[in-house]
Structure formats: C-alpha cells, structure tokens
Amino acid sequence: MSPSTSPRVFTEREVAQHCTKDSCWVLLGTRVYDVTNFLRMHPGGDALILQRSGKDISPEMEGPPHRHSENARRWMEQYYIGELDRDSSFEEAQTLRERRNGHSHSEDGLSKKSSEGEDSMFNLCSPVDLDNDLVDWRKPLAWQVGHLREKYDAWVHQPVDRPIRLFGNPFMEASTKTSWYWVPIVWIPVIIYLSWYCYTVLAKGKSRIEVTTDMSIPVHTSVFPALFMMGWFLWSFIEYCIHRFLFHMKPPAHNYYLITIHFLLHGQHHKSPFDGSRLVFPPGLASFVVGSFYLMLRSTLPEIIGMSVFVGGLCGYVVYDMIHYYLHYGSPKKGSYLYSLKAYHVKHHFEHQKSGFGITTTFWDHPFKTLIPDEKF
C-alpha cells in the first residue's frame, strides 16, 4: 500500500469473517493484516494463526512465551491492508475490547490501556518501503548489492516477502532457480546405483584394508550400513561448516566482488527467505560440491570404502536440501522434531543470523558454541 493512499477501513465484523485458510485476517491494535499467504510459512504452523484469526494478536507478538523480533515486525507490515473502524457499533467495539484484554473493564479505563498498548507496539514496527529501498527492485539485484558497501550486512538481514531477480539475462536467471523435486529426481537414482555397486563389490569378499605390507583387514558387506551412516554424519559437519564459514562470511565493505559473491551464494536467501525457486541447490551447482566431496574421500580412503562413505554423504545432502525446503514451506506437527527445527531455523533468519547454523540437526551448534537459546513457540 502506497504511503500516499488512504487505508481502507473495516468493521470488526468484516475482519472476523476472514478466518479460514483461504482468507485469514488478524489485527494489531486497530491495524488489519491479511496473512493468508503467510500461513504456510509460519514457524509455529498455520493453526496458531487460524485460531486467532479476526482477533488482536498484539499479546502474542509481545510474548510470552515468544517475543517476536524487529525483522518479524517489519515482515508483518507487508500484509497490512487497512484500519479497524473505531466508530462501528458499540457492540462490535465492546466485543473487540473484550477479546483484546480477556475480560471487561470500564470503557474509559479500557480505552486508555488499549491505546497505550497500541502506541508502544507500533513504535516498534517499521513498514517495508520497497520503492525507496537501497536498491532498485525493478532491476536485477546481482550487480547492485556490491555498491551498498558498509550498508550491505544490515540490508541483507532485513527479510522481505518478495521474489528476487538476480540477472537480466533470462538464461542466467533461470540457471539460479530450481524446483525442489529436481533434487530427488537427479540424486536419488545416483544414490541407489552407488549403494548397489558398493554392496555388490563388498559381497565378493575381496575388499581389504591394507594396514601394513604384510597385514590387511577384510571388509564385509555388513560394514556398509556403518560406512553409509559415517558419510551421512560427515556431511552434517560439512553442512555446518559451509553454512557458517562460507555462507555467513562477512564480506569486506570495500570489496564489491566479495559482496556480490556472498549475495549470490546465500545473501539473497536471507533477503527473500520464502522465494521457493531458490531454496534448494540447482543440481549443476551442487555437482561441484558433490564432486569435491568425492575427491576428498577418494584421496584419503580405499576406493570401495571411500565410495561407501560418499554415497552416505550424498544421501545426507539430499535429506538436507529437502528438510531445508520443508522448514520454509511445511507445517510440521507441534512437538515433532521438524517443528522444533522449523522454529530454530526461522529464529536464525529473523533474530540470530550469527548463530544457529545447523539445518538438519543442531548437533554441531553445541560444540562450536553457536546454539540459539531455547525458547518456546
């Protein structure tokens, strides 16, 4: 909504009618928000919003148990559609006041309390003005972000719900986008074939690990699951290191090229975390990482051992990409492992960008002291 446009005005009855997955509205004081498109993104699941549809969610934004971050408040402003009519019927106004406070007070005392609460809330909210942003969103962003210099780090960690165009060239732009299903389509057949290959080679009983020139240890098929899981575990460490030390490097403010590279690798994901076309690695780009992982294992382990560990790591990568996509778009059941991971990852995006680097597991955040403090949602 343009700042020069007068906001639409709704009655409390109109707001209350929008309480389904197809049309869900909420209030922040007297401000009305259409959060229908946000339901599938909410880290706590859509049920938490739906049960509060048509109501004032100011208490939930403030907490406890979870006080929403400044980025979350900025994000909310993208769904602002208008104002609640304060001059609607007395019955509607009284109903709204009771919903806000949970019980009835005198009209004067309640109005004063409500007004004070609204003022303190809206002082924390910052509307997203895309037309006056530091970059021109009508042009490809890849060649603009490097000019932000010292402003880049703060800008890239203020998320927006808007698709990003990186390049003007259609082919280059298309090469940066991938639908989630291409990851299993490309890599699962490779995993199945290599698993079969490793198992059949080990089944011949000729594979051995040379300890010395005079001594070797036979390797049987029974060790394949252990080698597979070892590769998966190794991938989880690589996943953590890539995310922390490469994706979250802080490029020097004076270096245009490093800022641009950082934005292409990961910055664009933090700027637009719900751009569904850029939530998984394009198979072409991923093949360089996969190939490097294979060469590392091939140079340090016997061939069949290295291959067995590699295929486990490749499976770990596919699971990582699928989980990452689900953490942004799925609605896991409350109390489940994926529910806690989703909440953890959303906190990484909106509040703790310098910690919480684990995606499929928080295991490595513990020894490296980057664990996000526990908080109920």
Side-chain angles (χ1 to χ4, degrees):
M1 182 177 294
S2 171
S4 61
T5 304
S6 299
R8 290 183 61 189
V9 178
F10 304 94
T11 66
E12 192 249 344
R13 182 174 298 166
E14 287 177 306
V15 175
Q17 290 174 348
H18 295 269
C19 57
T20 67
K21 286 188 176 182
D22 296 325
S23 182
C24 181
W25 293 6
V26 296
L27 297 165
L28 272 176
T30 60
R31 294 169 69 85
V32 184
Y33 299 83
D34 182 354
V35 295
T36 309
N37 292 332
F38 182 67
L39 290 176
R40 59 191 173 88
M41 308 176 190
H42 185 242
D46 54 14
L48 290 180
I49 298 181
L50 284 170
Q51 67 188 25
R52 295 169 176 81
S53 58
K55 302 177 184 178
D56 186 359
I57 61 170
S58 298
E60 285 74 18
M61 292 291 287
E62 284 296 315
H66 172 60
R67 187 180 187 279
H68 289 70
S69 67
E70 297 303 310
N71 276 333
R73 298 169 194 277
R74 293 190 191 96
W75 187 280
M76 187 72 172
E77 290 306 302
Q78 297 173 94
Y79 305 115
Y80 172 72
I81 57 172
E83 297 287 328
L84 187 69
D85 182 10
R86 284 185 176 276
D87 298 324
S88 55
S89 67
F90 174 81
E91 290 79 7
E92 290 177 340
Q94 183 66 21
T95 301
L96 177 59
R97 292 188 184 102
E98 291 177 357
R99 286 180 176 175
R100 286 175 179 166
N101 296 274
H103 53 280
S104 178
H105 290 283
S106 66
E107 184 175 356
D108 292 339
L110 181 57
S111 298
K112 181 179 180 181
K113 180 179 179 181
S114 178
S115 177
E116 290 174 352
E118 290 161 11
D119 290 341
S120 63
M121 167 64 70
F122 296 133
N123 287 337
L124 298 173
C125 294
S126 299
V128 178
D129 189 350
L130 297 177
D131 291 328
N132 295 305
D133 202 352
L134 296 175
V135 297
D136 186 349
W137 286 82
R138 291 172 289 272
K139 299 178 181 179
L141 297 188
W143 313 126
Q144 298 185 59
V145 293
H147 296 295
L148 296 180
R149 303 176 74 84
E150 67 278 354
K151 297 178 182 179
Y152 170 74
D153 190 63
W155 175 84
V156 82
H157 289 119
Q158 293 178 359
V160 297
D161 185 9
R162 178 187 178 93
I164 285 177
R165 184 173 183 88
L166 293 176
F167 302 105
N169 182 281
F171 177 78
M172 291 181 64
E173 177 69 7
S175 68
T176 67
K177 296 183 176 183
T178 306
S179 298
W180 68 268
Y181 50 80
W182 282 110
V183 174
I185 285 176
V186 170
W187 294 115
I188 286 182
V190 177
I191 293 170
I192 293 173
Y193 171 76
L194 291 180
S195 296
W196 171 83
Y197 170 78
C198 292
Y199 190 84
T200 53
V201 170
L202 291 172
K204 294 178 181 178
K206 297 180 180 180
S207 301
R208 306 182 72 89
I209 299 177
E210 299 291 336
V211 179
T212 66
T213 55
D214 300 323
M215 184 176 68
S216 62
I217 302 173
V219 182
H220 301 287
T221 54
S222 59
V223 303
F224 175 73
L227 295 173
F228 185 95
M229 294 309 298
M230 184 185 301
W232 196 322
F233 182 73
L234 179 60
W235 163 257
S236 71
F237 176 67
I238 294 174
E239 165 198 320
Y240 174 89
C241 291
I242 291 175
H243 191 192
R244 179 181 179 181
F245 298 111
L246 179 61
F247 289 172
H248 278 272
M249 68 171 179
K250 187 174 181 180
H254 64 275
N255 196 310
Y256 171 90
Y257 297 103
L258 283 181
I259 291 175
T260 302
I261 290 172
H262 177 269
F263 186 71
L264 294 176
L265 285 176
H266 197 60
Q268 48 85 15
H269 174 54
H270 270 262
K271 190 62 182 177
S272 182
F274 296 105
D275 185 347
S277 64
R278 291 195 175 96
L279 283 177
V280 298
F281 281 101
L285 177 61
S287 63
F288 289 101
V289 179
V290 170
S292 299
F293 182 54
Y294 171 75
L295 291 175
M296 178 187 72
L297 294 173
R298 182 69 181 84
S299 63
T300 56
L301 297 172
E303 181 178 3
I304 194 60
I305 304 298
M307 183 66 76
S308 299
V309 173
F310 167 75
V311 71
L314 181 58
C315 184
Y317 156 69
V318 173
V319 172
Y320 150 78
D321 243 356
M322 294 298 92
I323 285 182
H324 184 226
Y325 186 91
Y326 185 77
L327 296 185
H328 282 263
Y329 278 101
S331 295
K333 183 179 179 181
K334 188 171 184 178
S336 66
Y337 178 68
L338 287 176
Y339 181 91
S340 63
L341 274 185
K342 183 179 176 80
Y344 189 80
H345 190 59
V346 170
K347 288 167 73 176
H348 165 74
H349 271 279
F350 286 86
E351 298 179 68
H352 301 274
Q353 293 91 355
K354 306 303 181 184
S355 57
F357 300 110
I359 305 296
T360 57
T361 176
T362 63
F363 176 84
W364 295 107
D365 282 313
H366 289 270
F368 288 101
K369 309 297 183 183
T370 56
L371 189 70
I372 297 176
D374 187 31
E375 185 177 279
K376 292 182 179 179
F377 279 76

